[in-house]
Amino acid sequence: MRIDVDGGRITGATPGSPRSGTVLTGLTLPGFANGHSHAFHRALRGRTHHERGTFWTWRERMYALASRLDPDTYYRLARGVYAEMVLGGYTSVGEFHYLHHAPGGKPYADPNAMGAALRQAAADAGIRLTLLDTCYLAGGIGVEPDEVQRRFSDGSASAWASRVSTLKEDELFRVGGAIHSVRAVPEDELSQVDDGVPGNRPLHIHLSEQRAENEQCEAATGFTPTGLLGDHGVLGERLTVVHATHLTDQDVRWLGEFRVGACFCPTTERDLGDGIGPARALRDAGVPLSIGSDSNAIVDAFEETRALELDDRLASEERGRFSAEELLEAGTHHATIGWNEVGTLAVGAGADLVTVSLDSLRTAGIEPSGVVFAASGADVRNVVVAGREVVRDGAHLLVDRPESVLAKEIEALWQS
């Protein structure tokens, strides 16, 4: 198959053509979309997994890490993380970004300095970035932000929207919005965040990740988190709910009725003991599915994608919950983070390609349709993003030895 590319788009696809130009040997797929990332959580990998406790005790370690970051350290860490994502098969990432200000909540001279650091890190790593700039105003329902959380807050939804409005997009950078959760944005400001994001850009929210969140929301408002969003007019096609782990049957019906998307982050949800969300039921209700690396405990597009099926098997005690086609559709669903033109190998689509080796120890002898179950990020040989070659023969062309970059930055963070 000859694929012609011009201006970052696929302009032709001709089967049976002689080999010429850049030869991609293996199975070539559309690039994968990482629908939900917290880049700085990567520094927690291998440092918290053995600890007993809950999501809430893990969060204290995460907050301690957040307090150590500034724009320069965040840029260096994120550049390594984004390079790791490209090597693992992702060509776009939605960064759920709430680490906005200096310690104590004082804005930097550039109020978007931390977002700018992420933007530059993604550009230097060669990945598409959607900055899901996150509104985070409270430390819980009816609770003021604590010392660390003040870094996350703009004080009001209107102030948050004003800051975000100054961000400018470019070829590989887009801006969306996020409500951190129903815990972190007061009920009377939910619709203001919705209104603060342009209508053609994505809006995300952490939803029903923990049972305690549901219990607190129902006690305070009389609604489940999904019902509360519906009551304030936030449910809609541009909304993606992240995790969606503990839903009622009515929640599932509402999400399907409004064509809300759902982003599952299976390795993080396992790591934090969140539970297993109703992926198959949501898909059957009409909810588009996507995947994300979230805490970046693992960065591997194939691992997250197949986990939709494997975790659902554990919950249902049945095999064959999703077809390979459905899994790849979820894994390459870039529209959830606003890259509607990416995710297919078709004329006019964005030229994001991932080529996977079919002769590694993991993939030798498989049928091509089984690649999502057999391959890992280590089998990614070539990656093209918007027509630009970023990975060749398993090596990143823009960031030299990302593993060394990450080791150096993470060690420095924990020693600071």
Side-chain angles (χ1 to χ4, degrees):
M1 174 72 74
R2 175 184 174 87
I3 298 175
D4 297 302
V5 174
D6 184 53
R9 299 274 187 147
I10 296 173
T11 57
T14 309
S17 299
R19 294 187 175 193
S20 62
T22 301
V23 178
L24 305 177
T25 302
L27 178 65
T28 296
L29 304 167
F32 286 78
N34 187 346
H36 187 71
S37 165
H38 300 290
F40 77 94
H41 291 189
R42 171 64 177 81
L44 294 168
R45 183 189 296 178
R47 295 173 181 268
T48 62
H49 304 289
H50 62 287
E51 297 173 348
R52 296 180 65 86
T54 66
F55 166 88
W56 308 101
T57 53
W58 169 88
R59 191 177 72 162
E60 295 307 311
R61 290 292 302 274
M62 183 267 286
Y63 281 175
L65 171 62
S67 69
R68 298 167 183 255
L69 289 160
D70 59 32
D72 290 336
T73 56
Y74 205 9
Y75 161 75
R76 294 194 296 269
L77 175 62
R79 185 174 70 113
V81 176
Y82 292 151
E84 184 181 11
M85 287 181 190
V86 179
L87 288 165
Y90 294 113
T91 62
S92 72
V93 56
E95 183 65 35
F96 200 98
H97 169 56
Y98 54 79
L99 190 52
H100 301 307
H101 307 301
K106 181 180 179 181
Y108 291 102
D110 172 5
N112 285 305
M114 294 294 269
L118 292 167
R119 177 182 191 160
Q120 190 62 54
D124 291 348
I127 194 170
R128 299 178 191 265
L129 172 66
T130 300
L131 191 70
L132 297 165
D133 200 289
T134 303
C135 188
Y136 194 130
L137 304 176
I141 297 176
V143 179
E144 290 296 314
D146 64 20
E147 178 65 24
V148 175
Q149 292 166 336
R150 281 197 283 272
R151 293 195 72 176
F152 311 157
S153 176
D154 290 290
S156 68
S158 61
W160 166 83
S162 177
R163 178 180 55 76
V164 175
S165 69
T166 65
L167 291 165
K168 305 302 181 186
E169 299 185 337
D170 62 33
E171 181 188 6
L172 295 181
F173 176 71
R174 290 181 180 169
V175 179
I179 297 165
H180 178 272
S181 59
V182 297
R183 304 188 315 274
V185 175
E187 179 181 355
D188 60 359
E189 299 200 64
L190 291 172
S191 61
Q192 293 181 55
V193 179
D194 188 22
D195 293 341
V197 181
N200 63 340
R201 287 294 181 251
L203 176 67
H204 285 216
I205 183 172
H206 292 129
L207 187 87
S208 294
E209 180 179 5
Q210 293 286 320
R211 295 184 191 278
E213 174 186 303
N214 288 4
E215 293 163 0
Q216 292 164 14
C217 185
E218 291 190 64
T221 71
F223 292 103
T224 65
T226 301
L228 185 65
L229 296 181
D231 190 56
H232 288 272
V234 180
L235 297 181
E237 290 190 17
R238 70 170 179 155
L239 179 67
T240 294
V241 296
V242 181
H243 303 305
T245 308
H246 302 289
L247 302 179
T248 67
D249 291 343
Q250 181 60 61
D251 290 339
V252 172
R253 287 192 290 271
W254 276 329
L255 294 174
E257 177 183 344
F258 286 94
R259 296 290 296 168
V260 174
C263 182
F264 281 73
C265 307
T267 58
T268 293
E269 288 150 10
R270 291 198 295 259
D271 181 49
L272 298 181
D274 289 342
I276 301 172
R280 183 69 257 178
L282 285 166
R283 181 71 166 75
D284 289 343
V287 174
L289 301 182
S290 55
I291 53 100
S293 65
D294 193 0
S295 68
N296 297 299
I298 293 176
V299 174
D300 185 325
F302 293 95
E303 176 63 25
E304 300 292 353
T305 302
R306 64 172 155 260
L308 278 180
E309 165 70 18
L310 298 180
D311 285 4
D312 215 73
R313 289 182 184 185
L314 287 175
S316 66
E317 301 180 45
E318 295 180 358
R319 303 180 78 239
R321 303 289 289 171
F322 292 91
S323 68
E325 290 77 15
E326 287 175 321
L327 292 176
L328 286 171
E329 179 183 325
T332 60
H333 187 52
H334 297 256
T336 191
I337 49 175
W339 298 96
N340 299 53
E341 72 274 31
V342 183
T344 60
L345 300 185
V347 173
D352 286 21
L353 315 174
V354 170
T355 301
V356 187
S357 170
L358 293 181
D359 58 5
S360 75
L361 284 172
R362 290 165 295 278
T363 60
I366 70 169
E367 295 179 349
S369 63
V371 68
V372 71
F373 289 101
S376 78
D379 297 311
V380 173
R381 307 310 304 156
N382 295 77
V383 179
V384 174
V385 181
R388 179 191 191 189
E389 194 176 15
V390 182
V391 173
R392 181 187 302 153
D393 296 329
H396 203 288
L397 300 179
L398 308 181
V399 180
D400 185 39
R401 299 190 65 206
E403 67 277 11
S404 297
V405 171
L406 285 167
K408 177 182 177 181
E409 296 307 324
I410 292 170
E411 191 64 30
L413 276 172
W414 286 112
Q415 289 181 353
S416 64

